[in-house]
């Protein structure tokens, strides 16, 4: 994906998403302007229903904007052909969800390698490499049910990282975890941004998590109400809630 290194990775311009029409229209997202730089760790904070998941789905090319423009890695997602959108999702974007979404009948290693195969990123040693990055080498042969919630989420992160995405989109990644295990997941996500220079977006309704971000985007009723740079982001290990 050829794009000048200095350009932002993602740009939303007047982006909106409306469900339904007429009286029944739901404006899930309205007039959102947002630029995400390479390697930025952004926390999107907002109450339930404020449009956080819709924003992620637009950035991830899972849903199309009904107004404005969404550009990722230099591509206008509203104007790219279906096969190209598939390619962008496959190569540029990784997703992490609240409830891990692992395949229960596959081991940790298999969950990661299936995605590597499907996306064409199964080069030699890559699966072992990401399992080591999330510190699960010794649990690679365990099934999801044999792993703690935090470990399952780390498998899910390894699965998202296996294709080396420039953009990692995390929807309430600690929503199903307690403080202790949640922190290990946040620490991992912070390292992914810092050490691998990937853009990491963490969506949450948990205000405490904002302290670890480079930048906090506040949402309410489908709009961005505040966009703040954090002067001194806290190490994730020190986040408390
Ligand atoms: P959040 O993730 O912040 O909880 P969402 O982005 O999921 O918020 O939802 C924003 C608004 O859009 C909510 O009012 C929600 O009910 C509505 N919404 C989301 N998805 C759909 C859909 N597929 N159809 C209709 N309304 C939707
Ligand atoms: Mg949501």
């Amino acid at each position: 994906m050829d794009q000048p290194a200095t350009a932002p990775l993602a740009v939303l311009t007047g982006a909106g998403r409306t469900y339904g029409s007429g009286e029944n229209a739901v404006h899930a997202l309205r007039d959102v302007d947002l630029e995400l730089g390479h390697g930025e760790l952004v926390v999107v904070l907002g109450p339930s229903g404020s449009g956080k998941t819709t924003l992620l789905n637009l950035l991830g090319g899972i849903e199309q904007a009904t107004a404005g423009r969404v550009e990722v890695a230099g591509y206008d997602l509203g104007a790219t052909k279906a096969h190209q959108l598939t390619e962008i999702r496959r190569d540029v974007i990784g997703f992490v969800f609240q409830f891990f979404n692992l395949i229960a009948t596959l081991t940790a290693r298999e969950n990661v390698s299936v995605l590597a195969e499907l996306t064409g990123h199964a080069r030699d040693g890559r699966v072992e490499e990401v399992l080591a990055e999330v510190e699960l080498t010794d649990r690679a042969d365990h099934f999801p049910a044999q792993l703690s919630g935090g470990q399952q989420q780390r498998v899910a992160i390894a699965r998202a990282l296996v294709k080396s995405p420039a953009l990692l989109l995390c929807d309430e990644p600690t929503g199903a975890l307690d403080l202790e295990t949640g922190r290990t997941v946040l620490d991992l996500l912070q390292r992914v941004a810092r050490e691998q220079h990937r853009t990491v977006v963490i969506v949450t309704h948990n205000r405490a998590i904002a302290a670890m971000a480079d930048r906090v985007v506040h949402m309410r009723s489908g709009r961005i109400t505040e966009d703040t740079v954090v002067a001194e982001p806290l190490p994730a290990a020190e986040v408390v809630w």
Side-chain angles (χ1 to χ4, degrees), residues 43-111:
V43 166
V44 178
L45 198 61
S48 175
S50 59
K52 306 184 298 297
T53 295
T54 305
L55 176 66
L56 279 197
N57 288 344
L58 256 52
L59 278 169
I62 288 179
E63 290 180 64
Q64 296 257 335
T66 50
R69 217 174 135 87
V70 178
E71 277 176 69
V72 175
Y75 291 93
D76 175 351
L77 297 192
T80 49
K81 297 207 164 56
H83 74 272
Q84 202 164 36
L85 192 58
T86 304
E87 228 167 78
I88 297 165
R89 282 202 301 248
R90 197 188 59 198
D91 294 335
V92 182
I93 296 154
F95 261 99
V96 173
F97 305 95
Q98 179 173 2
F99 295 108
F100 327 135
N101 296 8
L102 299 175
I103 300 172
T105 53
L106 300 181
T107 64
R109 178 184 286 108
E110 288 165 348
N111 266 282

Side-chain angles (χ1 to χ4, degrees), residues 17-20 24 26-29 46-57 63 171-172 203 219 222:
R17 170 81 206 194
T18 301
Y19 295 102
N24 301 320
V26 177
H27 301 284
L29 212 63
S48 175
S50 59
K52 306 184 298 297
T53 295
T54 305
L55 176 66
L56 279 197
N57 288 344
E63 290 180 64
D171 200 349
E172 306 273 1
V203 154
M219 292 192 68

